[in-house]
Amino acid sequence: ARPAPADGAAPVPAAPVVPVPVVDDSAEAAAATEFGRVDEDGTVYVREAAGERAVGQFPGASADEAVALYVRRFLDLQAKVAVFEARLQATDLAVKEIDQTLAKLTEEVAEPAAVGDLDALRTRLDGLRSVAAERRAAVEAERAAARQAALAAREQIVERAEKIAATDPARMQWRPAGEQLRAMLDEWKDAQRSGPRVDRTSEEALWKRFSHARTTFDRERRHYFAELESRNASAKSAKEEIVREAERLSSSTEWGATAGAYRDLMARWKAAGRASRADDDALWARFRAAQDTFFHARDELNAATDREYGANLEVKEALLVEAEAIDPSRGLAQAKAALRSVQDRWEAAGKVPRADIQRVEARIRAVEAKVRDADQAEWRRTNPETRARAEGALAQLENAIAQLEADLAKAQAGGDARKVADAQAALDARRAWLEQVQRAADESRG
């Protein structure tokens, strides 16, 4: 009976009754009855290829009633075989379930207390054995492929681990590499828990390689960081000594020598290597502070000196304007005298700020070079030896030209075109030389 609804609640409708279809197996029952008989005392027999076999006794009942009980048992066996056949074709039965069902059905159809075409039922069941064997072979092939894939995945894990372990310690990124190895170990454990089983020999061999790679990595990491700690300690000690020297020099007023000493200390700092980050940063801060103290004091002194030399710079700037107006082409002696006057006053003016030294010195040197070049050119022009050489060369060229003119006339008279061309070319060259020599001789005579 359905429970009564609570006070005030709507009545709960009854669930609809779904009719179960009734299977009509009267034809199959009639066909099965053909394989049985009942004798006078109610013993029921079934006919098989091997002969007739008694399957039971049903006294006090009609022949049809007696046979019907055992036909029903046959139809039940036949239904079991049909269900197994359908499941074998339509579902992914486990190999173990297939084997267990086959064994049970084989036992049940061996000598059942049933009436029907048992030989055909056994033949039908035997036909399913080949289907089951194919299914078993397919499952085994799938399992073998899965085991092979699992083995390849384990091999890949091992190879990745060995690659990390074989990396040069000097180039190893230790933290990321350690995290990768831990992730690989988790992969390995997941494969063991949920992946296909691989054969024990292969798994043990791969695990041995994987374990060896992890051990090698751990050993190299410990060795690397022990050496790093040793190097850091050595670098720290060396840099502490450098810092102490830098701090002693910070109050020095020997500007040039101390600046050189700081350059040497910087070179030693770079050669000392790296300490730990915290030690390096702290020591570098002390080194820079000492260096800055020294150079700040030097810069302050230079700034004061530059302010003192500012008036000298103004004098020299005016002298430069005067010097750069000197023109040797208007008279070399006058230009040299004007330059000497500027040079005397230049030396008397004194020093200029450091930042301006190169600039003003370069400008006065350019004026000096201009006057000096003009003086050398004048000397070359008036040198008696140069003039004598020019006049001697002039005479030689004039004689040569006279000879070539005679050769040309002779060639022209003879009508030899090649000789005419050669003589003409030689004559033209000598005349060009003569023009240059005459110009030089004119310049040497003033």
Side-chain angles (χ1 to χ4, degrees):
R2 297 193 304 275
D7 292 343
V12 179
V17 177
V18 179
V20 178
V22 177
V23 179
D24 183 9
D25 56 0
S26 57
E28 292 183 352
T33 302
E34 296 296 326
F35 289 86
R37 74 176 182 84
V38 183
D39 63 9
E40 294 80 2
D41 60 0
T43 301
V44 181
Y45 295 88
V46 65
R47 188 175 65 254
E48 299 175 309
E52 201 173 55
R53 175 172 61 84
V55 295
Q57 191 176 32
F58 200 163
S62 66
D64 290 340
E65 291 175 339
V67 170
L69 172 65
Y70 295 99
V71 166
R72 174 52 53 193
R73 291 180 179 176
F74 170 79
L75 293 179
D76 289 343
L77 280 176
Q78 183 175 260
K80 287 183 180 180
V81 172
V83 168
F84 175 60
E85 182 179 31
R87 291 184 66 200
L88 193 62
Q89 297 292 343
T91 62
D92 249 346
L93 288 179
V95 173
K96 183 177 181 180
E97 186 178 355
I98 292 174
D99 291 341
Q100 288 176 344
T101 304
L102 270 176
K104 184 177 180 181
L105 289 176
T106 300
E107 182 181 355
E108 289 181 354
V109 302
E111 290 185 355
V115 170
D117 192 354
L118 292 173
D119 291 322
L121 186 60
R122 294 184 187 111
T123 300
R124 182 178 179 182
L125 183 61
D126 287 340
L128 295 180
R129 295 183 194 282
S130 61
V131 177
E134 292 175 1
R135 175 62 58 82
R136 187 183 301 106
V139 170
E140 287 299 328
E142 291 174 1
R143 287 179 177 176
R147 286 194 297 270
Q148 191 63 35
L151 193 63
R154 303 277 183 91
E155 178 81 26
Q156 188 180 40
I157 292 173
V158 171
E159 289 175 353
R160 285 156 50 201
E162 289 175 337
K163 183 177 180 180
I164 290 175
T167 302
D168 183 355
R171 302 176 60 188
M172 181 79 77
Q173 299 292 324
W174 294 103
R175 185 186 298 276
E179 291 174 353
Q180 289 174 26
L181 284 173
R182 284 191 292 273
M184 291 176 200
L185 180 59
D186 291 339
E187 282 185 57
W188 186 283
K189 291 178 179 178
D190 288 342
Q192 280 186 320
R193 284 193 298 265
S194 58
R197 290 185 175 275
V198 299
D199 65 278
R200 187 178 185 83
T201 302
S202 298
E203 184 174 27
E204 288 181 349
L206 288 172
W207 174 253
K208 185 176 180 180
R209 288 171 57 191
F210 184 45
S211 180
H212 177 70
R214 293 173 62 231
T215 301
T216 300
F217 173 82
D218 290 338
R219 184 182 65 247
E220 291 297 332
R221 178 171 57 184
R222 288 192 299 271
H223 180 67
Y224 174 83
F225 282 104
E227 284 191 347
L228 179 62
E229 185 176 355
S230 176
R231 290 196 302 271
N232 286 350
S234 176
K236 179 183 177 182
S237 177
K239 288 183 174 181
E240 285 175 337
E241 177 60 29
I242 292 170
V243 168
R244 285 192 290 269
E245 292 184 35
E247 290 172 339
R248 285 196 298 269
L249 291 171
S250 63
S251 59
S252 173
T253 56
E254 296 181 3
W255 310 113
T258 305
Y262 272 113
R263 285 193 296 272
D264 294 341
L265 289 177
M266 179 61 75
R268 285 169 56 191
W269 178 280
K270 293 178 180 178
R274 295 184 62 85
S276 68
R277 176 178 288 274
D279 290 336
D280 247 7
D281 289 347
L283 290 170
W284 177 248
R286 289 174 57 190
F287 181 80
R288 285 296 302 271
Q291 186 174 244
D292 289 347
T293 297
F294 167 78
F295 285 108
H296 181 70
R298 189 190 67 171
D299 292 343
E300 285 293 325
L301 179 64
N302 289 338
T305 302
D306 287 346
R307 288 192 294 272
E308 179 185 346
Y309 292 160
N312 299 345
L313 177 62
E314 293 180 4
V315 173
K316 288 194 172 183
E317 292 279 9
L319 289 173
L320 283 172
V321 174
E322 182 181 338
E324 288 170 345
I326 296 173
D327 186 1
S329 65
R330 296 181 180 179
L332 181 59
Q334 181 183 356
K336 290 166 71 174
L339 178 59
R340 280 194 297 272
S341 173
V342 170
Q343 288 171 330
D344 292 341
R345 285 176 287 158
W346 182 277
E347 293 298 326
K351 296 181 178 180
V352 298
R354 294 170 58 88
D356 297 293
I357 292 176
Q358 291 186 352
R359 179 177 61 82
V360 297
E361 289 291 335
R363 289 176 63 185
I364 192 65
R365 297 291 174 262
V367 175
E368 292 172 348
K370 180 173 66 172
V371 174
R372 184 173 55 252
D373 291 345
D375 187 41
Q376 290 178 353
E378 178 63 18
W379 182 85
R380 285 194 300 270
R381 189 179 66 81
T382 59
N383 187 0
E385 294 182 2
T386 303
R387 186 167 54 199
R389 284 196 299 271
E391 291 176 352
L394 182 62
Q396 292 178 358
L397 280 172
E398 289 175 344
N399 292 335
I401 288 172
Q403 181 61 47
L404 287 171
E405 287 174 343
D407 293 341
L408 176 60
K410 184 178 180 180
Q412 289 172 340
D416 190 332
R418 185 178 62 82
K419 288 184 177 181
V420 168
D422 291 344
Q424 186 64 56
L427 182 59
D428 292 342
R430 296 304 189 282
R431 285 173 175 169
W433 293 350
L434 177 63
E435 183 179 351
Q436 294 176 6
V437 172
Q438 284 177 333
R439 188 180 304 114
D442 292 343
E443 291 176 356
S444 66
R445 286 193 290 269

